[in-house]
Amino acid sequence: MSRVPECSGFDVAEFVRRVQHPLTTARPLPLHEPRFSGREWEYVRDCLESGWVSSVGSYVDRFEGMIAERLGASHAVATVNGTAALHVALLLAGVETGDEVLVPALTFVATANAVRYCNATPHLVDSALDTLGIDPDRLEDYLRRIASVGPDGCVNRLTSRRIRAVVPMHVFGHPVSMDRLMEVASRWRLTVVEDAAEAMGSLYRGSPVGGLGHVGIVSFNGNKIVTCGGGGAVVTHDAELARAARHLTTTAKLPHPWRYRHDLTGFNYRLPNLNAALGCAQMEQLDGFIAAKRRLTESYAESLDDLPGVRLVTEPAGCRSIYWLNAVLVPDQDARDAVLAATHRAGLLTRPAWDPLHLLPMYADCPRDDLPIAEELFARIVCLPSGVAAPGS
């Protein structure tokens, strides 16, 4: 992705008019609303009639199988939400108290929160303009400056703490350069915990994201392409990691017909059957949802074509994105703020990118690289209405 030239005469009104063109519907129009047009009612009713509504039931097993198959993984363990999945994935990756974990500064706060849940420290790194996610080349240059590999793995020479893992997050559904990132991770002895919360169905060089790292996660929050209302999953090719994930997320209870014995500090993180039933019906429609979202992207691209100072964020080369959120880059932060105000007045519930983690008070003191691209993207991104139910999709 090339940089958008600065445009002192940026036409906010024309931008709003062009964004409205594909969206012929009543206002307000949410950023991302779900579509329930399959067998959701049938499956949820079956749960209610059978009484299997909690964390055990046939829909949980079925949903996990559908997730694993879709992501080309051997195992999926369904959780109450994506953040819980990420917390467990980090524990499975060996993250311990006092470790550091490399995370992009431009990400949803849950990526860093899950690191803190492990009593570890988020270590913030910069993004790439073409993917919006971690820049592997810049990451390796940074590690050469501040880290070394020894008997204990990768160590931050500035803090003397172990850097245990790296968490690539596929921003808005656009895949990170995973091949290059895996090379860097291997060289620096880092475990890759793949945060595909926003990318269920995206492909990197023909392979589904979420199953490309050592362990991965997906999310089924109410605003995701597939939703259970909440929900997430840990994804892995390793049978032992999957067994450990199931144990940890079920309060680490040892199997017994009636006794309640636990051998670890576990978590009540399993997804209820009721939510899994909704997820099964949604997964059956995933291909249609992706097609609808890509049609909406094409409509935006056509409508915004040749508008000075605006560029639609498109899928990286060699990737097929679900375009979970359609994002545009405008010239600068003043233009971004003017666009956000004008679109909200017009009933289009746009939003900026998340505040970068180093600008949040609880992560302001975390170790970090220089973050010029993350800061530039934050200043210039506007996310457009992108739900599968949006007209134009």
Side-chain angles (χ1 to χ4, degrees), residues 1-7 10-11 15 18-19 129-132 172 174 297 300-317 323 325-332 335 339 376-377 380-384:
M1 182 189 306
S2 61
R3 293 173 181 261
V4 178
E6 295 297 323
C7 180
F10 182 70
D11 191 336
F15 175 88
R18 294 206 189 189
V19 169
L129 278 171
D130 59 341
T131 69
L132 309 184
F172 307 152
H174 301 304
T297 300
Y300 278 136
E302 181 179 351
S303 184
L304 294 170
D305 185 42
D306 76 15
L307 181 62
V310 175
R311 179 154 186 172
L312 185 69
V313 176
T314 56
E315 59 199 16
Y323 287 96
L325 289 184
N326 284 284
V328 294
L329 291 173
V330 297
D332 52 37
V339 163
E376 177 183 347
L377 290 171
R380 297 174 58 198
I381 284 176
V382 175
C383 297
L384 308 177

Side-chain angles (χ1 to χ4, degrees), residues 60-326:
V60 175
D61 296 338
R62 181 181 171 194
F63 189 44
E64 290 177 336
M66 296 172 83
I67 297 165
E69 181 179 9
R70 184 74 193 208
L71 298 184
S74 302
H75 308 277
V77 179
T79 61
V80 291
N81 54 53
T83 307
L86 189 54
H87 179 200
V88 170
L90 288 164
L91 293 174
L92 297 176
V95 175
E96 298 176 348
T97 296
D99 285 345
E100 294 179 6
V101 177
L102 298 162
V103 301
L106 189 72
T107 185
F108 182 55
V109 70
T111 308
N113 288 349
V115 174
R116 279 279 173 85
Y117 299 163
C118 300
N119 296 311
T121 298
H123 190 145
L124 313 183
V125 296
D126 207 13
S127 303
L129 278 171
D130 59 341
T131 69
L132 309 184
I134 287 178
D135 183 333
D137 294 330
R138 185 179 178 91
L139 173 61
E140 181 147 54
D141 289 343
Y142 178 57
L143 289 171
R144 288 192 184 111
R145 296 196 306 273
I146 63 101
S148 58
V149 175
D152 295 328
C154 184
V155 175
N156 183 342
R157 295 193 304 268
L158 304 179
T159 64
S160 299
R161 292 190 292 246
R162 180 177 66 166
I163 304 177
R164 186 68 184 89
V166 58
V167 185
M169 192 275 222
H170 303 298
V171 176
F172 307 152
H174 301 304
V176 171
S177 299
M178 287 299 294
D179 285 351
R180 176 72 176 119
L181 185 70
M182 294 298 287
E183 290 175 6
V184 173
S186 176
R187 194 152 34 246
W188 291 88
R189 293 176 58 185
L190 302 169
T191 301
V192 176
V193 179
E194 191 180 359
D195 185 347
E198 302 177 355
M200 183 69 185
S202 290
L203 302 177
Y204 174 77
R205 297 186 176 179
S207 297
V209 301
L212 301 177
H214 297 111
V215 61
I217 70 98
V218 287
S219 171
F220 305 103
N221 188 34
N223 62 355
K224 298 302 190 293
I225 188 169
V226 165
T227 183
C228 303
V234 178
V235 180
T236 179
H237 299 281
D238 187 313
E240 181 56 29
L241 286 183
R243 186 207 64 77
R246 291 184 192 281
H247 189 56
L248 279 174
T249 57
T250 318
T251 68
K253 181 181 180 297
L254 297 171
H256 193 279
W258 58 82
R259 292 192 69 180
Y260 283 84
R261 291 183 60 83
H262 310 260
D263 62 348
L264 295 168
T265 301
F267 309 95
N268 189 13
Y269 277 176
R270 289 291 271 154
L271 183 73
N273 198 49
L274 194 64
N275 296 84
L278 188 62
C280 288
Q282 289 272 288
M283 286 292 290
E284 291 173 350
Q285 303 168 78
L286 178 55
D287 287 331
F289 290 166
I290 293 171
K293 289 174 74 60
R294 290 180 65 86
R295 285 195 300 272
L296 179 58
T297 300
E298 292 171 0
S299 297
Y300 278 136
E302 181 179 351
S303 184
L304 294 170
D305 185 42
D306 76 15
L307 181 62
V310 175
R311 179 154 186 172
L312 185 69
V313 176
T314 56
E315 59 199 16
C319 300
R320 185 171 175 84
S321 176
I322 63 168
Y323 287 96
W324 174 62
L325 289 184
N326 284 284

